[in-house]
């Protein structure tokens, strides 16, 4: 039954394709700040610097980078919002 729930309620995807540094991180920060701790969000980017910026952002802000994948034209990152993540100011 747990497997069915996972398929029925996939993690949301935030399309950040076409945006360049620093916009993917700034938009991800704002979106994650509005989510509950423990929630997960896929970030999809085409910015080549995202492979450096997104992991650094997660580490600095207290989020967990769960998965990173190279996809055609860019990258996908699965981020879990941290319990004590920095609040957007």
């Amino acid at each position: 039954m747990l497997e069915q729930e996972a398929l029925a309620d996939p993690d949301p995807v935030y399309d950040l394709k076409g945006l360049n540094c620093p916009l993917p991180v700034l938009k991800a920060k704002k979106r994650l700040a509005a989510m509950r701790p423990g929630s997960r969000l896929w970030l999809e980017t085409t910015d080549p610097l995202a492979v450096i910026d997104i992991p650094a952002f997660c580490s600095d802000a207290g989020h967990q980078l769960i998965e990173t994948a190279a996809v055609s034209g860019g990258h996908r990152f699965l981020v879990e919002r941290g319990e004590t993540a920095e609040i957007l100011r």
Side-chain angles (χ1 to χ4, degrees), residues 13-30:
V13 176
Y14 194 21
D15 183 357
L16 299 168
K17 293 179 279 203
L19 301 177
N20 292 320
C21 183
L23 290 176
V25 167
L26 295 176
K27 289 184 171 282
K29 180 178 181 178
K30 186 174 182 179

Side-chain angles (χ1 to χ4, degrees), residues 33-49:
M35 297 172 67
R36 291 184 341 264
S39 298
R40 290 183 174 187
L41 177 66
W42 280 104
L43 306 175
E44 293 188 342
T45 68
T46 52
D47 181 5
L49 294 178

Side-chain angles (χ1 to χ4, degrees), residues 3 7-8 11 13-15 18 30 32 37-38 44 47-48 51-52 54 60 62 70-71 74 78 80 89:
E3 188 174 320
L7 293 175
D11 297 314
V13 176
Y14 194 21
D15 183 357
K30 186 174 182 179
L32 286 162
E44 293 188 342
D47 181 5
V51 295
I52 297 166
I54 298 294
D60 292 347
V71 294
L78 181 58
E80 183 176 295
R89 295 184 181 123

